[in-house]
Amino acid sequence: MIVEGKVLSFTGGLLGVYYQKQIYFCVPKGIFRSKKLKPCVGDFVKFDPEKKIIMEILPRKNEFQRPLISNLDHAFVVQSLKNPSFSRELLNIFLSFLNGYSVKTSIIFTKTDLVEGEYTSLKEGYENMGYDVYFFSDRNGKGKEEIFKTLHGTIAFLGQTGAGKSSLINALLPNASQRIGEVSKALGRGKHTTTSSVLIPFQDMFLCDTPGFSSVELNCFKEDLAHTYPGYAPYASQCYFHDCLHLSEKGCKIHEALQSGILLKEDYEIYQKLLVSLPYRKDRYTK
């Protein structure tokens, strides 16, 4: 009997495949190696639960290389407003990274109880870029219900160390830490110290549990950032030059949006800083 399951982990050469609330430790069919195919965490696969062999890897809608995981449905970038202080640059780096993949992305600002004042402008600014924005306080649980309603499929929480990801997850998913520990043990993962991705089944969703998502580096070209930087894609596609880097090129729509106040100069300064650190495409002048 061949059934469809979801890969939760890759440990000791065995893939933990989830099917009907059970985990089967399987090996991939030998032909995968000759075709240079490799199942990864998050894959939907067809497998034989009796022989414990993965027969087929179903098409992926996205695939992250670091950490290696596929078919992510929703990513939440978690940023604290204090301790550590809010970093617009770090948030924009996370958003730029995720914009390179086909994955819905939302923003959660935590520790709102530690900061005085309203955050309307911050919320409106990122909502105008196309993101859903939420606020959460661990002290009083404010925002928990609104965020919980958005959870579905395979999800991941990303953010800097100390941003409050663990507190947020435990507030949203009761006993999440215990569940993560139980599944990790069942998968032979041991203590929560590995850098490999693991999916934790929780109710009707899968939580991506991996330290690898705590930080991110932009492994792309200048030309990629010109389109994936938050809020830039709608304008970049209208630039006079298809490979416009939004510096001093003729007919740059980003500069027009900056001059009209639609895009913020603060974000553009961060964009310029990031652009300097990235390489050009090798084929930039050969097309």
Side-chain angles (χ1 to χ4, degrees), residues 76-259:
F76 293 86
V77 181
V78 182
Q79 283 277 298
S80 63
L81 294 175
K82 189 173 184 179
N83 298 336
S85 299
F86 168 62
S87 169
R88 195 177 190 93
E89 179 176 338
L90 185 59
L91 176 56
N92 287 355
I93 289 175
F94 273 112
L95 296 176
S96 298
F97 170 77
L98 290 166
N99 284 343
Y101 301 91
S102 300
V103 56
K104 176 179 173 58
T105 301
S106 300
I107 302 168
I108 300 176
F109 292 111
T110 61
K111 304 183 182 180
T112 56
D113 53 282
L114 300 180
V115 181
E116 296 182 358
E118 294 294 326
Y119 323 106
T120 303
S121 61
L122 189 61
K123 179 181 174 68
E124 290 180 349
Y126 280 98
E127 284 182 338
N128 289 337
M129 296 182 195
Y131 297 99
D132 292 328
V133 179
Y134 305 94
F135 292 101
F136 171 75
S137 170
D138 182 45
R139 181 172 297 179
N140 56 33
K142 188 175 180 179
K144 179 178 70 174
E145 293 183 3
E146 185 182 8
I147 298 170
F148 183 79
K149 292 177 182 178
T150 69
L151 304 183
H152 70 280
T154 302
I155 59 177
F157 294 90
L158 302 80
Q160 65 191 123
T161 301
K165 295 188 300 295
S166 296
S167 297
L168 172 66
I169 292 171
N170 282 315
L172 294 170
L173 308 172
N175 302 316
S177 295
Q178 180 181 345
R179 178 62 175 159
I180 289 172
E182 291 173 351
V183 175
S184 294
K185 185 176 180 180
L187 292 169
R189 188 179 181 225
K191 295 183 178 180
H192 189 180
T193 55
T194 183
T195 57
S196 62
S197 303
V198 171
L199 292 182
I200 307 298
F202 202 102
Q203 298 177 6
D204 59 347
M205 68 189 79
F206 294 89
L207 172 64
C208 179
D209 177 43
T210 168
F213 264 129
S214 297
S215 60
V216 65
E217 293 181 4
L218 290 177
N219 185 22
C220 64
F221 297 102
K222 293 180 187 291
E223 293 84 354
D224 298 323
L225 184 67
H227 288 270
T228 61
Y229 193 73
Y232 280 22
Y235 304 97
S237 60
Q238 301 176 40
C239 287
Y240 183 82
F241 295 106
H242 71 88
D243 57 354
C244 181
L245 296 181
H246 321 314
L247 296 175
S248 58
E249 297 92 337
K250 169 187 174 183
C252 177
K253 297 299 180 181
I254 294 296
H255 277 283
E256 291 181 10
L258 286 167
Q259 292 171 3

Side-chain angles (χ1 to χ4, degrees), residues 17-28:
V17 183
Y18 190 72
Y19 172 69
Q20 292 190 345
K21 298 184 179 180
Q22 293 189 48
I23 300 172
Y24 298 82
F25 292 96
C26 305
V27 294

Side-chain angles (χ1 to χ4, degrees), residues 60-85:
R60 297 166 178 163
K61 68 178 182 180
N62 53 50
E63 177 185 346
F64 294 80
Q65 294 298 321
R66 185 180 180 188
L68 185 59
I69 187 172
S70 66
N71 299 316
L72 197 62
D73 293 304
H74 200 162
F76 293 86
V77 181
V78 182
Q79 283 277 298
S80 63
L81 294 175
K82 189 173 184 179
N83 298 336
S85 299

